Amino acid sequence: MSPVIAIDGPSGTGKGTLAALIARHLGWHLLDSGAIYRALGLAAERRGLSLDNPSSLQPLAETLPLRFDSGKVLLAGEDVSEAIRSEAAGMAASRVAAHTSVRAALLQWQRCMACEPGLVADGRDMGSVVFPHAALKIFLDASPGIRAERRYKQLMAKGLDANLPQLVADIRERDARDRSRSAAPLRAAEDAVLVDSTDMSIAEVFDRVLEEVRRVFPELVV
Ligand code: C5P
């Protein structure tokens, strides 16, 4: 199997940005697994399916017409890259992601993304379930307050409405569901390197993770 770097952690830690930077730096592929759950949530809502009923979600997960193309997320050919980024889509993702059968349906699909020269996989269970043999596992965390603040700034920068106390509440609710679910709960793999980004800039996190990449892949000139 091609080399994999797994980057897990809750939302708002800078995980997605970090994964994209590392993938670009190494010239490796990138798997944004959250986008899969977000797209599934969106597809389910559009079909009027209950997000809490795995028996109708599983067949949809098995046949989801999803493609990643040049940084875009395409659902049945439609560019949903922006639509899946809303807070509501994040909540819907977290609900569909709680079902064991839905996760199982998406497992092989994600594993197939590991191809040469390597894959940087971003999610909640990349190191613990999907790629348990990943050569490097990073668990990126940060306090809920700072994660909400970062999200608030992102939304404001996009000219979207944002309410900080509501964002803190949403983050806590999504964390609680992701950490307490029985199917692949959000947790650091035992062999993961923990990085707390609360007081770090994205550049500092990038440098810290690159140190680990050099340690694990000394043959890569990075
Ligand atoms: O990372 P992102 O915020 O895009 O993920 C959206 C939701 O998808 C998460 O809150 C989580 O419930 C779910 N997810 C997951 N496993 C992954 C990636 C995301 O359960 N590997």
Side-chain angles (χ1 to χ4, degrees):
M1 205 198 214
S2 308
V4 174
I5 296 175
I7 303 183
D8 290 303
S11 57
T13 51
K15 203 167 41 81
T17 309
L18 172 71
L21 287 173
I22 297 283
R24 180 152 20 110
H25 190 78
L26 298 177
W28 285 15
H29 302 282
L30 174 68
L31 169 61
D32 172 4
S33 61
I36 306 175
Y37 291 100
R38 285 172 181 266
L40 178 62
L42 183 70
E45 280 185 326
R46 284 181 175 178
R47 287 172 198 215
L49 302 179
S50 159
L51 302 182
D52 303 313
N53 178 4
S55 55
S56 56
L57 292 171
Q58 184 199 343
L60 180 61
E62 278 167 355
T63 55
L64 193 68
L66 181 68
R67 262 191 319 123
F68 293 105
D69 191 2
S70 319
K72 291 199 174 117
V73 183
L74 303 176
L75 184 60
E78 177 194 342
D79 184 356
V80 294
S81 317
E82 277 300 313
I84 60 168
R85 290 294 147 210
S86 69
E87 287 304 298
M91 272 306 176
S94 163
R95 283 171 66 191
V96 298
H99 307 298
T100 308
S101 58
V102 168
R103 304 193 71 87
L106 297 170
L107 194 57
Q108 209 47 42
W109 201 88
Q110 296 176 82
R111 288 187 175 151
C112 286
M113 299 283 288
C115 51
E116 293 299 324
L119 177 72
V120 180
D122 154 18
R124 302 290 186 290
D125 61 342
M126 298 295 100
S128 55
V129 176
V130 182
F131 301 109
H133 304 299
L136 174 59
K137 300 176 185 177
I138 303 287
F139 192 87
L140 193 58
D141 212 343
S143 71
I146 194 82
R147 287 158 50 207
E149 216 173 279
R150 287 175 186 160
R151 183 73 185 134
Y152 180 79
K153 286 184 184 153
Q154 270 176 2
L155 291 170
M156 296 303 272
K158 284 187 190 166
L160 297 171
D161 236 6
N163 171 323
L164 192 54
Q166 185 60 48
L167 285 174
V168 175
D170 285 355
I171 279 189
R172 287 189 193 280
E173 182 186 333
R174 190 133 70 92
D175 273 8
R177 182 162 41 228
D178 289 352
R179 288 181 201 271
S180 66
R181 69 187 177 206
S182 55
L186 171 64
R187 64 171 175 81
E190 269 173 26
D191 48 350
V193 176
L194 303 182
V195 177
D196 187 330
S197 77
T198 304
D199 298 315
M200 291 169 91
S201 68
I202 189 67
E204 288 169 328
V205 176
F206 177 74
D207 287 344
R208 171 76 190 87
V209 171
L210 217 49
E211 266 174 40
E212 294 299 324
V213 174
R214 287 192 195 101
R215 180 179 64 76
V216 175
F217 303 101
E219 71 285 6
L220 290 182
V221 183
V222 290

